[in-house]
């Protein structure tokens, strides 16, 4: 109810079209981000595991998950930030432009590339990097726990069974990531609104907004709805990602306990040199 009532009220007051405001920027931004994020995490994970060897990569797999996710997300956010700025401006000022191109062009003319497109870059990193680190670490370890509980490796299960593992672990990862990133998400939404936090440098505005809102409001306002939404979306993301790999006959990289195998972990052919 907490999730759908605001949507219903907003749609009733401003029309169904209002609910679709910023959809183009949202779709474009998160497609680009997802491309770099999922592919980047897999690439960095494989490269680090190769350099460390099977035994050390198994022992330090948490560190590999976290470092791979942080590196991939930082690169992805460079491409996402301008589109996210356009989305937030389109939602907060519906008359700012008719489409993504008009909003981006006006932002560039009136505020410049840095202030217009990257004012929210630092808050985005504070939001997205911990979010992605939690997301991939929790999903990876949760999937590992599921495989251990049924006594099977990914290679021993069918493709549909592996998709079920991805979906289940994705829900848990999404909820964890939503909780970790929620305060920064609130700050990012506000700092891209014109005039929010007063004048001055971006970080000063962020600090002003944080003081105005307070910790409790930043941490808990809208958290339940966000957990439901992000948990569902994250499960779908991992399910789709694994399905695409399977469709192209690509073996997904998994960490393996060296005590249980007699040969090196099989690498993903997707990123083999």
């Amino acid at each position: 109810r907490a999730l759908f009532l605001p949507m219903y009220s907003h749609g009733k007051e401003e029309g169904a079209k209002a609910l679709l405001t910023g959809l183009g920027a949202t779709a474009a931004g998160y497609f680009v981000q997802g491309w770099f994020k999922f592919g980047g995490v897999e690439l960095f994970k494989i490269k680090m595991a190769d350099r460390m060897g099977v035994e050390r990569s198994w022992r330090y797999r948490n560190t590999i998950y976290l470092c791979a996710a942080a590196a991939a997300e930082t690169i992805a956010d460079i491409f996402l930030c301008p589109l996210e700025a356009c989305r937030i401006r389109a939602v907060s000022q519906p008359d700012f432009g008719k489409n993504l191109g008009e909003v981006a062009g006006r932002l560039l003319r009136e505020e410049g590339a840095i202030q217009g497109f990257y004012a929210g870059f630092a808050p985005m990193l504070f939001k997205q990097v911990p979010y992605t680190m939690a997301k991939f670490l929790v999903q990876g370890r949760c999937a590992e726990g599921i495989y251990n509980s049924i006594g099977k490796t990914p290679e021993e299960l069918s493709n549909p069974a592996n998709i079920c593992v991805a979906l289940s672990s994705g829900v848990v990862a999404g909820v964890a990531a939503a909780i970790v990133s929620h305060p920064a998400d609130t700050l990012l939404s506000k700092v891209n609104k014109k005039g929010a936090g007063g004048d001055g440098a971006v970080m000063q505005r962020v600090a002003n907004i944080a003081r105005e809102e307070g910790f409790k409001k930043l941490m808990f306002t809208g958290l339940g709805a966000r957990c439901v939404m992000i948990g569902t979306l994250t499960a779908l993301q991992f399910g789709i990602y694994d399905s695409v790999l399977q469709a192209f006959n690509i073996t997904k990289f998994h960490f393996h306990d060296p005590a249980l195998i007699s040969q090196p972990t099989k690498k993903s052919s997707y990123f083999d040199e």
Side-chain angles (χ1 to χ4, degrees), residues 239-256:
I240 292 170
Y241 179 65
D242 282 27
S243 297
V244 170
L245 293 184
Q246 291 175 9
F248 286 93
N249 198 29
I250 297 169
T251 303
K252 185 178 180 180
F253 178 86
H254 294 278
F255 293 102
H256 290 78

Side-chain angles (χ1 to χ4, degrees), residues 79-97:
F79 296 92
L80 172 64
C81 195
L83 293 161
E84 182 71 356
C86 291
R87 180 192 71 82
I88 292 175
R89 185 58 63 91
V91 172
S92 62
Q93 294 179 245
D95 60 346
F96 196 79

Side-chain angles (χ1 to χ4, degrees), residues 187 191 197 201-213:
L187 288 173
V191 79
V202 173
M203 294 310 297
Q204 181 59 49
R205 292 170 56 207
V206 170
N208 292 340
I209 294 170
R211 282 194 297 270
E212 292 169 5
E213 297 293 319

Side-chain angles (χ1 to χ4, degrees), residues 195-229:
D199 299 322
V202 173
M203 294 310 297
Q204 181 59 49
R205 292 170 56 207
V206 170
N208 292 340
I209 294 170
R211 282 194 297 270
E212 292 169 5
E213 297 293 319
F215 175 79
K216 185 175 180 180
K217 193 172 181 180
L218 287 174
M219 188 68 233
F220 296 108
T221 300
L223 180 60
R226 180 171 166 79
C227 285
V228 172
M229 181 182 72

Side-chain angles (χ1 to χ4, degrees), residues 31-45:
F31 175 81
V32 171
Q33 188 208 30
W35 179 280
F36 281 96
K37 178 160 60 178
F38 278 83
V41 168
E42 192 78 357
L43 173 62
F44 289 126
K45 194 168 62 174

